[in-house]
Amino acid sequence: MNKRTTQTLAENISKQVEHFSKKEVECLIREFNVLMAEQNNSGRAVHGLDRGKFISTLHSIFGLTDDRMTGRVFRTFDKDNDSVVSMKEWIDGLSVFLRGTLDEKIKYCFTVYDLNGDNAISREEMLHMLKGRLIRQPNEEDPDEGIKDLVEIILKKMDYDHDGKLSFEDFEKAVKDENLLLEAFGTCLPDFRVICNEKLLSSLNFPIKNSQSYSLLFLFFQRIEMFEGRVFQEQMEQ
Amino acid sequence: MGISLTRAAQWTMVSSSTAKLVSTPMNESLLKEILHFVEHFRSQYPQEAEHVFEEPLQWSTTLVASDFKTDYDISDSDVQSHERDSEGHPLLQLSPPTVYVRSFSQLSKLLHLAHDKKLAEVRACLEENREPLVKILGRSFASDLVIEAHDDAVSVVDRTKEEGLSKDLEVKVKLFQLFQDMDKQILDTLLKDISEQVRLNPKAVKNEVEILQVFCGGGDKGLLKSLRYTSDFEFSNGYRAPLWRQVQGDICYLVIEPCDTETLHITCSTAGIFLNGGIKQEGEENGYEQTSDTYEDLVTLLKSRSPHFAEKINQQDSAVQELSTKKEKTVNEQLQLELHTTRRNIYEPRPSGILSTCGKTEENKTLKSSEDEHKNLRQRAKSKTKAELSASSSPGHVSSQKLKTSAGALPGEPFSESSTESEEEEEQPYRHPETNTDLPSEYWQIQKLVKYLKDGDQIVTVHTLCAMMDFNLMQESCQMAIQDTGALKVLLNLLDTDEHKCEIGSLKILRTISHNSQIRRVIVDMRGVQSIVKILDSPVKELKALAAETIANVAKFRRARRNVRLYGGINKLVKLLDCLPNLASLTPSQEEDIEVACCGALALWSCSRSTKNKKAIRKAGGIPLLGRLLKSPLQKMLIPVVGTLQECASEESYRTDIQTLGMIKDLVRNLSSDNDELQMHCASAIFKCAEDKQTRDLVRKYKGLQPLVSLLHKADNKQLLAAATGAIWKCSISQENVTKFQEYKALEILVSLLTDQPEEVLVNVVGALGEFAQIPANKAAIREFGGIKPLVKLLTSPNQALLVNVTKAVGACATNKDNMVIIDQLDGIRLVWSLLKNPSADVQSSAAWALCACTENAEDAGETARSLIGGFQLIVKLLSSTNNEVLASICAAICKIAKDEENLAILTDFGVVPSLAKLTNTTDDRLRHHLADAIAQCCMWGSNRASFGEAGAVAPLVRYLKSKEGSVQRSTAMALYQLSRNPNNCITMHEKEVVQPLIHMMGSDDEELQEAAAGCVRSIRLLYMANRNAELFTFRN
C-alpha cells in the first residue's frame, strides 16, 4: 500500500470515525499494516488481523492479559463476526478503546461481558467471569461459595429492576452511579497505569483531550513513533 | 455571728431586702447553732442577757397571744412583757404578726415558748434582721468593732477600759466578744462541712464526662446507654451553660441514658452535680431547678440512680486501671505500627491482584495477640497494686478520685494533652473494641466484605468497596465496624497498591468515615497520612481530589496536621490550587482542575489551624494562589479559600499579603453572598485584617461597611454575628468609617446587641461602641439608645478581653456629663475602680483610663473616691507594676483624683510621693508625660514638693526636657514649675542645667508652657537673689 492510498483511505475513515483526526488515522493504518505484515498469513489472502495476532497485540501494546477477557474483546472488535479484525473495525474499536466517552465505553464493556449476546448479563455469566478471582479458603466446602455470594451482592447493587440479571439499562445506571463499576467483570480496556514521561509528552505537539487519554495517548504514540521511525528507516535503506 | 451570717449563709438573692435563706444542709446547721446559742444565753450569761438592744429585733412570728404564759400582759391578741427597760418600754411586744424583742433573755424565753417552731422563728428573725449585730449593739459600735475584728477582742476590751467608758459599753463589749466566739465556733463547724464539699471546675467535669463516654453503649455490657452534653458550644472558660446560668455556677448540662432507668437530666455546677427539671436543649427557660441532692461527682450520682451502673462500675473497677495503662498501650500500639509498616514496605504491589494483603494482616493479627498478652499481664500486675491502695475506701469513690487526678496530673495522657492551637479537637481515649455479643448486623456484613477485600483480586476488591460504600458510612456503628473488623487497615493498605480503582474506592470510604474522630486517630496511628499524601502526586485528578478531601477530614487534630506537613503534604496541596477559577467556558479537564483545587483548599483549611502549617503554606506560595481562587464564583470553592485565609490572617505576614494582593475587594464582595458560612469567614478575615489602617480604608472604598451592618440583623447565627461585630469593631477604629456606619444606623443595632449575647459577640460589640464613642455626638446617642446601663452591667463580667473593651467604652462615654450621671447612679465608678484589682495588666490600665474620664466628669468624684475603702491604697500599690501602660494610666488617674485636695492628702498618706519618684527614671515618653502630670498635681499638698526633691525626682525630670515629645515637655515644665517652689529643688534644677531649655521653651507658642517655664526660671532667679541678699547681709554683718 503506497503513501497516497494510505492518505486517501485515512481521509475517508477519519470522516466516519469520531475521535481521530486524519493524521492519527494515518498512523493507525500504518500500524495496522505493520501488524498485518507481522502476521503469518500462510499464503491465504486475509483482510484483517486474526484472533491470535489481535490478542497478542492487546497483550503487548495495551497490557491486557486476562485470557477470558481478551477473547471477548476480539469478539467485540470483530463486529461482522468473520473471525478477523478488519482495518475499519480496528480503527473503530480503537476509537472507543483510547478516546471513548463514558457512554461508548459502557456500551463496549457491556458487549464484552454479555457472553452469549442476549443483551443481559446473567448470574451464570457473572459466575463464569468472576470465577477464581477469590482465594479459596481451605475450610470451605463449595469452592465457589464466596463467588456466588459476591454475585448476589453485585446483583443487589446493580440489578435495579430485580429480574435476576443485568440488562444494559441496569449496567448503564450502575456505572453512571459509580464509575468504578465500568470494568465490573474484568479488565477489558487498556491498562491505565503507564509511565508518564512529561518531557516526551510535551514534545508531542498534539491536543490532549482529557486526563485519561493523556497517558494512554502517550503509550499509543510511543508505539506509533517507533513505527514511524521504522518506516523512515526502511525508506532510507531503499 | 456577723461573719458567719454574711459569708457562710447562703441567701437566695443577695441584693434584695426580702431575701430568704436557702434551705441547704449548711444553712440548717447554721440555724441550729444560732438557736442553741440564743437558747442557752440566759442561763450562761445572765448579766449580758439583761442588756437592752439599741433597736428591737422585729419579725413576723407564728406565735400568737395564747402561746404566752405568765410574765406577760396579754390584751386581746397583743402581748407585752412584764420586763421593761429603764424608760418603761416592754422588752417584748407582740402585735400580730410582728414581734419586737429587745433583750436576749426575752429572746431565750420566746424561743422556749415556741417549742417545735423554734427553728422557723430563728430563721424568720435572721431573714428580717439582716444586721442583728447593728441592732443589738448600735451602728457606730458595731462598725467600730467590726473594723477592729482583726485584732484580738481582748485588746478592744482593754482599750475601752483604758478610755474609762461606761458600764453599758463594757457589757456591749462583752456581748461582742461572745458573738465573736460563737461566730468562730459556727464557722469551725461549717468549715468542716464545706471542706467535705467539692468545688467542681469545668475541667474536672469534662474529664469525667469523657471517661464515662468511653464506657457508653454496647448494650448490657456498657455502663450507660449514652451520655451527651445539651450544648456542643463550649465557652472559652470551659463552661457550656448559658451565660446567665454560669453566674449561678452552672458548668454544663448532661443528658444520660442509663441502661436500666429513665433518662437523667443532670446539671453540673461548681457546687456539685444534681438532677435538674429536664434541660434538653440550650435556651429553655424552665427546668434549671434542682430536683435531687447534690453529689460530688457524676459517678456517685449515677451509682445512686442506676443500680446497673453501680454494679458495673464495681465490677469494672478495672476501668481505672485501663486508663492508667493507656499510656503504655499507646506505646505498644506505636511499636506494633512500626513493625506493621516495615512489613508494608516489603510488600510489593502486584498488578494482577491484591491478594497479598491477606497474608500480611494475618501476620499482624498474630503479632497483635502476642502484644495483647503482654498488655494483659501488665494490667493484671497493675490492678493488683491498685487494689491494695484502694482497699480501705469504697471503690466507686476511689475510682472517681483517681480518674480526676490521673486526668489532671499526667500531661502525657492523650486526653488531657493541652494545645495552644485554636479549635483544637481533644484527643479522646481509644474506645474498647466490642465483644462478640450484641453487635449490630452491619458488623457481620462488613466482616464478610472484609474477607472478600482480603481474598479477592482487583475486580472483586472494587465490587467489595462499592458494596461497602452502600452502607451508611456516616453512622457510627458502621464506622466502628470498619475499624473493629480490620477493614480500616486493609483500606489503608490499598492506598499503596497503585491500583487506581482500588485507591479511588478506598479513599471514597476513608473520606466519609474520617468524619469520626477515633477513625481519624487510627488512620494517623497507622501511618495513613503518608499514603494519602503520596497519592496527591497521582496523575489521576479524581484521586488527587479524593486524597485532598480525606486530608481535610483527617487533619482535624494537631498530630495529623503535623504529619501532613512532615510528609510534604502542604507543598503538594498548594500545588493542587493551581487552576483557572473564573474562566467563562471550561473544558472538562479544567472543570476537574477546579474540583481538585476545591478539595485542596478544603485540606489546607484544616491544616491551617497549626501555626507551622500557616508558615508552610506561605512558603509554598499558597497565598497568591488562594488570592486567585478568591475570584471564583463558586461557593464551594470560596468557603474553604476564605476559611483558610481567615484562619491564617492571625499571622501578620498574611494580613499584609491579603491587603497588598488585593484580596480585600473580593472579601468585601463575598460579604454580600447568600451563604452564612461564607459571610462569616469573610467578616472574620476582615476582622483580623482591619487592624491595619489601609485595610480599613479599603473596606470602606469597596463599600464593605453597609454589608457588614446588614449582617448584624442575622442575630440567630452567633458565629456570624461575632465575626460581623468584630469586623465592625476593627473598621470603626477609623473615624471615617464610623461616620459611614452612622449612615447605616449601626450604633442603634449595636446597642441592642449588648444584652443576651455570648461573650464573643459582646467583646466585639463593646469594642465597637468604644470606638464609636470617640465621636462626641455618639456618646449622647449611646445614652439615648439605652446603652449605658448594659455597659455598666458588663463591668462585672469575668471575661478579661470583654473587660478591656467595656472599660474603654465606659471611659469614652463618661466624658459626656449626662452619661456620667447615669454611670454614677449605677455605681459605675466603684465597679471601674474595683477592676484595678483584676490580675490582667490590660484590664488594669484600661480601667485606670476609664477612671480618669469618670473622675474628671463626675459631679462629686472626690467624695465617691473616698467612699471606696482601700481604693487609694490600691492605686498607690499599682505604681509598682512592671507594665508601662498600667503605670501611665495610673499616673493619669492619680493626676485626676488628686485634683481634689482631700484625696491628695490621703494619697500622700499612702506614700504616693516616693512611689511616683521611683518611676522617674523611665524612658517611655508616654509614661513620662503622665508621670510629670501626676507629680505636678501631687506637689499641691503639704510638703510634697520637698518630699519629691528628697526622693530624687527632680534630676530625672530635668532630663525629660530633652524629649522630642511636645506633651512630655509641657507636662515636665509644669511639674518643674511646681517643684521649683521649693528652694532645694531649685538648687538641684540649676545644677542639672535646667535654665537653658526652659528659656528655650519660653519662646513656645503654647501660653501655658511659656508660663510654666517662665515661672520656674523665676523661682530659680528669686532664690538666687534671696541667696545673694542673704550673703550680702551676712557679709555686712
Side-chain angles (χ1 to χ4, degrees):
Chain A
M1 212 181 275
N2 64 28
K3 210 174 172 186
R4 167 146 302 173
T5 42
T6 312
Q7 274 177 354
T8 36
L9 197 62
E11 201 165 343
N12 285 335
I13 296 180
S14 68
K15 278 174 193 156
Q16 297 163 28
V17 180
E18 218 170 312
H19 301 296
F20 291 127
S21 70
K22 190 190 148 211
K23 181 137 198 290
E24 286 169 302
V25 174
E26 226 177 288
C27 296
L28 290 171
I29 291 173
R30 267 185 238 151
E31 176 72 4
F32 180 77
N33 289 339
V34 170
L35 293 172
M36 283 292 285
E38 283 168 13
Q39 185 174 262
N40 181 11
N41 287 332
S42 61
R44 282 180 294 124
V46 206
H47 59 279
L49 298 169
D50 65 18
R51 189 185 161 97
K53 184 60 194 170
F54 183 79
I55 287 176
S56 79
T57 311
L58 284 182
H59 193 130
S60 57
I61 298 184
F62 299 108
L64 295 178
T65 50
D66 187 342
D67 290 340
R68 260 179 295 186
M69 285 299 127
T70 46
R72 289 296 306 157
V73 172
F74 175 75
R75 304 294 294 269
T76 315
F77 265 63
D78 179 19
K79 281 180 186 149
D80 54 8
N81 262 331
D82 60 355
S83 298
V84 284
V85 172
S86 69
M87 185 191 291
K88 180 72 178 39
E89 285 168 346
W90 162 254
I91 292 168
D92 272 347
L94 285 188
S95 147
V96 178
F97 230 48
L98 298 173
R99 302 267 173 87
T101 62
L102 184 62
D103 284 328
E104 286 167 345
K105 282 179 180 169
I106 292 174
K107 207 175 249 171
Y108 162 81
C109 287
F110 184 78
T111 322
V112 172
Y113 299 144
D114 180 13
L115 301 179
N116 57 8
D118 64 350
N119 225 9
I121 307 171
S122 65
R123 268 200 179 79
E124 291 69 36
E125 284 168 330
M126 284 187 230
L127 213 57
H128 177 75
M129 288 185 282
L130 294 178
K131 209 174 254 177
R133 293 189 186 274
L134 207 56
I135 290 180
R136 207 186 306 156
Q137 297 295 323
N139 53 357
E140 272 172 17
E141 288 165 16
D142 183 354
D144 289 337
E145 197 188 292
I147 292 296
K148 278 180 187 156
D149 188 37
L150 198 67
V151 168
E152 292 313 313
I153 292 174
I154 291 168
L155 276 171
K156 195 174 145 205
K157 187 175 173 68
M158 297 173 79
D159 181 18
Y160 289 93
D161 51 14
H162 305 293
D163 58 355
K165 58 188 179 190
L166 296 184
S167 62
F168 178 74
E169 288 71 32
D170 285 334
F171 187 73
E172 189 182 27
K173 192 160 188 287
V175 176
K176 290 216 164 146
D177 224 34
E178 176 54 74
N179 290 347
L180 288 177
L181 291 172
L182 178 61
E183 291 176 84
F185 304 104
T187 316
C188 56
L189 284 166
D191 193 333
F192 183 73
R193 250 175 330 109
V194 246
I195 317 106
C196 263
N197 189 327
E198 293 282 341
K199 223 160 108 192
L200 262 173
L201 265 171
S202 59
S203 72
L204 285 172
N205 183 20
F206 208 77
I208 292 161
K209 276 209 168 170
N210 58 46
S211 71
Q212 201 162 358
S213 43
Y214 169 92
S215 32
L216 288 175
L217 262 177
F218 169 65
L219 184 96
F220 175 55
F221 277 101
Q222 205 179 18
R223 304 293 304 187
I224 289 172
E225 259 182 86
M226 278 164 68
F227 164 77
E228 279 175 343
R230 204 166 53 222
V231 171
F232 282 132
Q233 227 174 1
E234 278 163 17
Q235 280 173 348
M236 300 260 282
E237 279 166 13
Q238 276 166 7
Chain B
M1 190 147 87
I3 298 173
S4 44
L5 278 179
T6 47
R7 302 262 173 86
Q10 292 159 314
W11 300 91
T12 46
M13 292 287 288
V14 184
S15 55
S16 89
S17 53
T18 56
K20 293 268 178 270
L21 276 167
V22 187
S23 66
T24 61
M26 197 165 84
N27 277 350
E28 292 295 338
S29 60
L30 178 81
L31 286 175
K32 270 183 201 148
E33 288 290 335
I34 294 174
L35 173 68
H36 185 264
F37 173 74
V38 177
E39 262 194 311
H40 297 86
F41 196 88
R42 193 161 59 118
S43 52
Q44 283 177 343
Y45 312 105
Q47 196 193 350
E48 282 78 15
E50 298 307 320
H51 174 76
V52 181
F53 298 169
E54 290 285 327
E55 273 176 72
L57 293 173
Q58 60 177 78
W59 69 94
S60 26
T61 176
T62 52
L63 295 178
V64 288
S66 56
D67 288 326
F68 293 89
K69 298 186 183 87
T70 50
D71 294 342
Y72 293 95
D73 286 331
I74 301 168
S75 56
D76 291 329
S77 57
D78 285 5
V79 178
Q80 290 196 346
S81 67
H82 285 172
E83 274 188 79
R84 282 161 199 275
D85 63 8
S86 48
E87 281 148 34
H89 298 299
L91 289 178
L92 182 141
Q93 193 177 359
L94 174 78
S95 48
T98 319
V99 65
Y100 301 86
V101 183
R102 300 189 61 193
S103 81
F104 262 110
S105 67
Q106 285 299 331
L107 261 182
S108 304
K109 281 181 193 166
L110 183 135
L111 287 175
H112 191 67
L113 292 169
H115 297 297
D116 50 350
K117 285 180 280 185
K118 281 175 194 167
L119 261 181
E121 289 300 325
V122 175
R123 175 191 290 266
C125 172
L126 288 174
E127 277 170 356
E128 289 181 53
N129 301 286
R130 291 299 295 271
E131 288 177 304
L133 279 191
V134 173
K135 286 197 169 171
I136 294 169
L137 299 170
R139 181 167 290 279
S140 61
F141 192 79
S143 58
D144 202 5
L145 285 172
V146 170
I147 292 170
E148 298 284 342
H150 301 291
D151 306 344
D152 198 346
V154 181
S155 71
V156 183
V157 183
D158 290 348
R159 203 190 60 178
T160 41
K161 268 183 189 155
E162 274 166 24
E163 284 164 19
L165 291 166
S166 67
K167 201 177 172 235
D168 185 29
L169 252 181
E170 234 180 87
V171 177
K172 276 188 180 180
V173 172
K174 185 76 196 296
L175 262 175
F176 180 76
Q177 221 176 330
L178 289 170
F179 286 150
Q180 274 218 315
D181 288 352
M182 123 104 168
D183 214 354
K184 231 183 194 170
Q185 211 183 325
I186 293 179
L187 279 180
D188 278 352
T189 24
L190 288 180
L191 203 63
K192 248 186 247 166
D193 293 347
I194 293 167
S195 61
E196 276 163 28
Q197 288 179 357
V198 189
R199 291 295 286 184
L200 285 176
N201 61 37
K203 203 179 166 200
V205 172
K206 193 172 180 182
N207 286 332
E208 208 180 351
V209 168
E210 275 175 12
I211 288 157
L212 284 173
Q213 271 173 341
V214 177
F215 299 108
C216 279
D220 281 335
K221 286 273 175 184
L223 294 175
L224 301 165
K225 261 192 214 148
S226 76
L227 186 167
R228 60 175 178 85
Y229 291 110
T230 52
S231 158
D232 287 331
F233 180 74
E234 191 180 334
F235 287 87
S236 55
N237 54 3
Y239 285 61
R240 284 168 198 264
L243 282 170
W244 62 279
R245 292 299 305 176
Q246 285 185 24
V247 180
Q248 316 282 333
D250 288 7
I251 296 170
C252 60
Y253 310 105
L254 299 169
V255 177
I256 298 183
E257 284 181 71
C259 295
D260 46 356
T261 54
E262 79 290 89
T263 309
L264 303 173
H265 297 273
I266 289 171
T267 300
C268 303
S269 81
T270 49
I273 289 173
F274 52 83
L275 295 179
N276 59 42
I279 305 159
K280 285 170 198 78
Q281 288 302 323
E282 202 182 358
E284 268 175 54
E285 287 299 319
N286 47 4
Y288 287 107
E289 78 276 5
Q290 181 169 355
T291 58
S292 76
D293 291 338
T294 307
Y295 295 87
E296 56 179 297
D297 57 35
L298 262 179
V299 174
T300 327
L301 182 143
L302 287 169
K303 274 170 76 178
S304 75
R305 294 281 153 181
S306 160
H308 173 89
F309 181 85
E311 184 193 329
K312 286 288 170 189
I313 193 116
N314 289 346
Q315 271 175 22
Q316 291 213 358
D317 201 17
S318 60
V320 185
Q321 283 81 0
E322 286 285 353
L323 281 164
S324 42
T325 50
K326 194 114 303 171
K327 217 171 165 183
E328 287 159 340
K329 215 168 166 185
T330 22
V331 173
N332 281 336
E333 237 137 22
Q334 206 63 42
L335 186 76
Q336 190 185 326
L337 279 162
E338 218 109 311
L339 289 163
H340 169 82
T341 35
T342 40
R343 265 158 219 281
R344 186 192 284 182
N345 292 342
I346 297 165
Y347 162 62
E348 291 270 42
R350 266 173 279 162
S352 61
I354 40 168
L355 305 162
S356 37
T357 28
C358 152
K360 187 179 60 167
T361 10
E362 283 308 309
E363 276 165 359
N364 277 335
K365 264 187 189 160
T366 48
L367 188 74
K368 190 168 182 175
S369 64
S370 71
E371 286 286 339
D372 280 342
E373 266 175 40
H374 280 292
K375 227 183 292 171
N376 288 341
L377 275 174
R378 217 168 306 169
Q379 212 160 312
R380 245 168 272 152
K382 266 260 150 117
S383 51
K384 215 174 166 188
T385 47
K386 277 278 158 66
E388 279 162 17
L389 279 171
S390 59
S392 56
S393 43
S394 74
H397 186 76
V398 169
S399 74
S400 67
Q401 290 273 318
K402 286 264 167 56
L403 296 183
K404 265 180 214 152
T405 49
S406 70
L410 296 172
E413 292 271 19
F415 48 83
S416 64
E417 190 174 277
S418 68
S419 168
T420 53
E421 288 157 18
S422 57
E423 287 175 58
E424 190 53 74
E425 175 180 284
E426 291 275 331
E427 294 210 4
Q428 283 167 357
Y430 281 102
R431 196 187 55 99
H432 287 256
E434 308 262 2
T435 39
N436 276 346
T437 52
D438 277 344
L439 286 169
S441 63
E442 296 96 352
Y443 183 91
W444 302 111
Q445 288 164 10
I446 287 174
Q447 196 177 45
K448 191 172 71 184
L449 289 178
V450 173
K451 201 171 79 98
Y452 298 146
L453 210 52
K454 287 173 181 169
D455 295 352
D457 75 344
Q458 192 240 42
I459 300 287
V460 173
T461 304
V462 168
H463 279 298
T464 319
L465 291 173
C466 288
M468 221 177 248
M469 280 177 224
D470 284 347
F471 284 96
N472 181 3
L473 294 175
M474 290 301 276
Q475 200 180 313
E476 202 184 350
S477 58
C478 288
Q479 293 166 347
M480 286 303 118
I482 285 177
Q483 189 193 329
D484 294 343
T485 51
L488 190 53
K489 204 172 280 173
V490 184
L491 288 174
L492 289 174
N493 284 341
L494 282 176
L495 297 181
D496 294 337
T497 54
D498 269 6
E499 284 286 344
H500 77 273
K501 281 189 179 165
C502 298
E503 288 173 326
I504 289 175
S506 166
L507 280 175
K508 276 185 174 170
I509 296 174
L510 285 173
R511 84 168 158 184
T512 316
I513 59 173
S514 55
H515 284 287
N516 179 308
S517 63
Q518 276 185 46
I519 301 264
R520 287 201 277 272
R521 280 211 307 133
V522 178
I523 290 176
V524 174
D525 288 344
M526 289 183 173
R527 308 213 168 186
V529 174
Q530 278 141 295
S531 311
I532 302 172
V533 166
K534 223 186 321 168
I535 290 179
L536 291 176
D537 282 336
S538 160
V540 187
K541 288 180 188 171
E542 190 183 2
L543 263 178
K544 281 200 250 193
L546 282 169
E549 215 182 323
T550 315
I551 290 178
N553 285 338
V554 173
K556 291 265 161 63
F557 66 105
R558 193 174 49 163
R559 203 150 47 89
R561 289 196 284 267
R562 207 176 118 244
N563 268 341
V564 173
R565 185 178 67 249
L566 292 182
Y567 298 119
I570 300 288
N571 278 328
K572 292 177 186 179
L573 287 171
V574 167
K575 263 188 216 141
L576 299 189
L577 299 183
D578 200 355
C579 73
L580 301 164
N582 49 351
L583 290 180
S585 62
L586 292 165
T587 64
S589 161
Q590 281 167 330
E591 259 170 39
E592 276 180 11
D593 283 337
I594 288 180
E595 185 64 39
V596 170
C598 260
C599 297
L602 266 176
L604 285 177
W605 185 15
S606 291
C607 291
S608 64
R609 298 209 171 113
S610 299
T611 320
K612 280 188 181 165
N613 282 352
K614 288 176 195 171
K615 296 207 171 87
I617 294 172
R618 190 182 143 80
K619 213 175 141 203
I623 307 180
L625 289 173
L626 286 170
R628 197 161 78 189
L629 295 181
L630 204 54
K631 306 217 179 292
S632 159
L634 297 172
Q635 267 180 13
K636 67 168 182 176
M637 173 73 92
L638 287 169
I639 290 174
V641 168
V642 181
T644 314
L645 283 173
Q646 69 90 12
E647 193 71 57
C648 291
S650 57
E651 302 276 304
E652 172 73 43
S653 53
Y654 272 90
R655 293 200 287 268
T656 323
D657 287 345
I658 287 174
Q659 192 209 92
T660 51
L661 294 174
M663 294 189 217
I664 299 293
K665 188 178 179 184
D666 296 306
L667 289 173
V668 166
R669 179 167 51 82
N670 287 314
L671 277 179
S672 315
S673 126
D674 56 358
N675 181 306
D676 278 9
E677 198 185 354
L678 181 55
Q679 289 177 325
M680 177 187 86
H681 293 313
C682 285
S684 180
I686 292 175
F687 175 22
K688 285 174 182 165
C689 293
E691 293 276 1
D692 179 273
K693 185 178 182 309
Q694 259 179 304
T695 306
R696 294 196 291 270
D697 293 342
L698 283 174
V699 173
R700 184 178 64 250
K701 187 179 151 201
Y702 296 127
K703 305 201 180 345
L705 302 179
Q706 190 169 15
L708 279 176
V709 174
S710 55
L711 286 182
L712 293 182
H713 295 292
K714 299 199 174 184
D716 297 334
N717 187 338
K718 296 301 176 198
Q719 281 181 304
L720 176 58
L721 199 57
T725 47
I728 290 180
W729 169 21
K730 293 299 175 187
C731 285
S732 60
I733 295 174
S734 292
Q735 297 290 313
E736 299 95 314
N737 287 351
V738 176
T739 326
K740 273 276 170 202
F741 278 134
Q742 281 301 86
E743 290 172 23
Y744 310 128
K745 308 217 182 314
L747 187 58
E748 189 171 356
I749 311 173
L750 284 173
V751 170
S752 71
L753 289 173
L754 276 175
T755 40
D756 295 335
Q757 296 296 338
E759 281 182 11
E760 292 85 350
V761 177
L762 283 175
V763 172
N764 298 339
V765 170
V766 176
L769 286 180
E771 297 300 339
F772 274 72
Q774 301 299 326
I775 296 180
N778 286 344
K779 297 177 202 208
I782 292 177
R783 183 185 65 244
E784 279 154 23
F785 295 133
I788 304 289
K789 196 173 175 190
L791 270 178
V792 172
K793 220 169 164 187
L794 287 174
L795 284 171
T796 53
S797 151
N799 182 320
Q800 293 183 341
L802 181 55
L803 284 176
V804 171
N805 287 351
V806 174
T807 42
K808 190 168 179 217
V810 169
C813 289
T815 48
N816 177 306
K817 291 272 182 201
D818 295 328
N819 285 352
M820 195 54 228
V821 173
I822 304 179
I823 294 174
D824 211 7
Q825 277 167 3
L826 295 167
D827 211 7
I829 297 186
R830 186 181 61 82
L831 291 173
V832 171
W833 204 305
S834 65
L835 285 178
L836 293 176
K837 280 190 232 165
N838 194 291
S840 153
D842 289 339
V843 177
Q844 286 172 358
S845 64
S846 184
W849 289 120
L851 201 57
C852 291
C854 291
T855 321
E856 205 172 8
N857 295 288
E859 282 288 318
D860 48 356
E863 180 93 32
T864 322
R866 282 193 295 282
S867 70
L868 302 169
I869 296 160
F872 289 113
Q873 269 163 302
L874 188 62
I875 282 218
V876 175
K877 211 181 98 200
L878 279 176
L879 283 175
S880 52
S881 163
T882 49
N883 183 312
N884 276 350
E885 183 59 28
V886 173
L887 291 172
S889 62
I890 293 290
C891 285
I894 287 178
C895 181
K896 304 287 183 216
I897 295 163
K899 291 218 165 107
D900 181 297
E901 223 173 44
E902 264 183 80
N903 287 348
L904 179 52
I906 301 171
L907 280 172
T908 310
D909 283 348
F910 283 124
V912 75
V913 173
S915 299
L916 286 174
K918 237 183 265 171
L919 296 174
T920 45
N921 278 323
T922 179
T923 51
D924 182 342
D925 270 341
R926 190 169 155 80
L927 174 54
R928 281 177 162 187
H929 165 50
H930 294 289
L931 179 59
D933 276 347
I935 290 178
Q937 196 62 47
C938 289
C939 282
M940 306 293 194
W941 178 257
S943 58
N944 282 359
R945 290 191 182 90
S947 311
F948 275 121
E950 283 158 23
V954 178
L957 269 180
V958 175
R959 281 204 297 275
Y960 290 10
L961 291 175
K962 287 188 194 129
S963 163
K964 303 256 183 309
E965 203 66 40
S967 59
V968 178
Q969 289 184 357
R970 191 161 172 269
S971 307
T972 311
M974 308 278 208
L976 288 175
Y977 170 57
Q978 287 298 334
L979 289 167
S980 69
R981 300 219 185 146
N982 175 293
N984 283 330
N985 290 346
C986 284
I987 295 169
T988 322
M989 282 182 218
H990 192 254
E991 275 171 7
K992 296 290 170 195
E993 294 162 0
V994 76
V995 179
Q996 206 191 352
L998 281 180
I999 289 177
H1000 192 71
M1001 278 176 199
M1002 288 189 320
S1004 150
D1005 298 333
D1006 183 344
E1007 279 185 22
E1008 268 186 86
L1009 176 57
Q1010 277 180 2
E1011 204 180 322
C1016 188
V1017 173
R1018 178 173 171 268
S1019 304
I1020 297 171
R1021 187 65 201 163
L1022 279 177
L1023 178 70
Y1024 175 73
M1025 292 293 285
N1027 217 11
R1028 225 170 76 113
N1029 286 343
E1031 264 173 34
L1032 285 173
F1033 186 70
T1034 341
F1035 180 69
R1036 219 179 281 158
N1037 288 323

